[in-house]
Amino acid sequence: AMAWAKPTVLVSYFDPFGRAKINNSETVARILVGKTRGLSLPFTLATCKLQTKFDVSVEELRDCIAALP
């Protein structure tokens, strides 16, 4: 029987903006990755940090998606 590769779930998050030291979306992404590390899941996780600039973040997200296995 052919073995299928696990799908990859892309978790994107944004860099801090304003005077913040961290963006809450990054906190959530880090917690998610940490809580799932070492677990036998039916998927793998990949992360993608995006700038908080719409025109730039769209391209960054496209690059992250293109780099997925």
Side-chain angles (χ1 to χ4, degrees):
M2 182 188 302
W4 295 94
K6 287 184 178 182
T8 301
V9 174
L10 180 62
V11 179
S12 60
Y13 61 92
F14 292 96
D15 65 357
F17 60 95
R19 294 184 179 177
K21 292 186 186 277
I22 192 165
N23 189 303
N24 288 338
S25 64
E26 182 175 357
T27 302
V28 171
R30 288 180 185 274
I31 291 170
L32 180 62
V33 169
K35 294 273 187 187
T36 58
R37 186 173 288 121
L39 298 179
S40 179
L41 300 172
F43 57 87
T44 58
L45 283 178
T47 58
C48 178
K49 185 175 186 176
L50 306 172
Q51 293 182 52
T52 52
K53 299 176 186 168
F54 182 76
D55 55 335
V56 176
S57 65
V58 171
E59 286 303 314
E60 289 175 334
L61 183 57
R62 286 185 182 138
D63 290 345
C64 288
I65 292 169
L68 292 174

